[in-house]
Amino acid sequence: MDVILLERVAKLGQMGETVKVKDGFARNYLLPLGKALRANAANKARFESERATLEARNLERKSEAQTVAEQLDGKSFNVVRSAGETGQLYGSVAARDVAEVLAAEGFNVGRNQVDLNNPIKSIGLHAVKIHLHAEVEITVTMNVARSADEAERQAKGENLNSADAIYGVDEDALRPEDFFNPEAEFDNDEE
């Protein structure tokens, strides 16, 4: 199906271009969300008459996204989750969770704007891309940790994926003698 794009669509085209897309993509996504019109003579004339309005609206949305991007770009946000000693989370941090953390900080970002191909499943610092507008993309850092204290330590560059980092125990310095006494008498009843 040929459609006329009413706004820039990533990996598809710019505003005003006529592009060929699959029927389902057009019917289920582009047309219902008002991102495109079917390509026919009447809609081409309609687009040309509304072009100035559409460009002004797009420019306004882009400027709003730029102001939010300036406040948000490069910021770090803490996410506290339960995790095992190896740093593996007992769940994950998905796009919905990222959107909720940003909303708690006062930024209105939808979960469809969060570009997270796979959920975050381990503690650490993770870069997450956010698409505020088709032409405005920023990166924020999600600091996933077991506690607020660990988040601060991770932000300083400390790796918290070992027992030494978590409990203050040096795993390499441990010896068997630390756990049992080799000269202890065993009580054997089988004599």
Side-chain angles (χ1 to χ4, degrees), residues 43-104:
N43 284 340
K44 285 182 183 179
R46 177 180 162 199
F47 172 76
E48 288 303 326
S49 67
E50 296 177 3
R51 184 180 200 114
T53 309
L54 292 171
E55 287 177 353
R57 186 175 65 188
N58 183 43
L59 193 60
E60 181 182 326
R61 287 181 184 165
K62 183 179 177 183
S63 65
E64 289 173 2
Q66 279 297 104
T67 57
V68 172
E70 290 170 3
Q71 297 170 356
L72 198 56
D73 194 19
K75 278 197 162 195
S76 179
F77 299 93
N78 295 339
V79 180
V80 177
R81 293 286 190 268
S82 299
E85 291 181 4
T86 60
Q88 191 73 18
L89 294 179
Y90 295 135
S92 63
V93 177
R96 175 177 41 92
D97 300 318
V98 173
E100 288 174 2
V101 168
L102 293 174

Side-chain angles (χ1 to χ4, degrees), residues 25-157:
F25 183 59
R27 279 194 310 263
N28 298 324
Y29 180 71
L30 294 174
L31 297 175
L33 293 180
K35 294 179 181 276
L37 294 171
R38 291 178 190 268
N40 57 34
N43 284 340
K44 285 182 183 179
R46 177 180 162 199
F47 172 76
E48 288 303 326
S49 67
E50 296 177 3
R51 184 180 200 114
T53 309
L54 292 171
E55 287 177 353
R57 186 175 65 188
N58 183 43
L59 193 60
E60 181 182 326
R61 287 181 184 165
K62 183 179 177 183
S63 65
E64 289 173 2
Q66 279 297 104
T67 57
V68 172
E70 290 170 3
Q71 297 170 356
L72 198 56
D73 194 19
K75 278 197 162 195
S76 179
F77 299 93
N78 295 339
V79 180
V80 177
R81 293 286 190 268
S82 299
E85 291 181 4
T86 60
Q88 191 73 18
L89 294 179
Y90 295 135
S92 63
V93 177
R96 175 177 41 92
D97 300 318
V98 173
E100 288 174 2
V101 168
L102 293 174
E105 294 290 326
F107 297 102
N108 189 16
V109 175
R111 73 181 197 201
N112 61 341
Q113 294 175 305
V114 177
D115 185 15
L116 193 61
N117 293 336
N118 296 319
I120 299 169
K121 295 189 176 189
S122 63
I123 64 169
L125 300 173
H126 302 275
V128 177
K129 289 184 182 176
I130 302 193
H131 300 280
L132 297 172
H133 183 267
E135 300 169 23
V136 180
E137 179 182 300
I138 59 162
T139 303
V140 296
T141 303
M142 301 311 283
N143 185 349
V144 182
R146 293 179 198 91
S147 66
D149 177 50
E150 282 189 5
E152 288 178 25
R153 291 170 53 196
Q154 274 184 163
K156 293 177 184 172

Side-chain angles (χ1 to χ4, degrees), residues 157-170:
E158 195 173 333
N159 182 8
L160 299 177
N161 290 339
S162 68
D164 179 30
I166 299 168
Y167 303 115
V169 177
D170 186 6

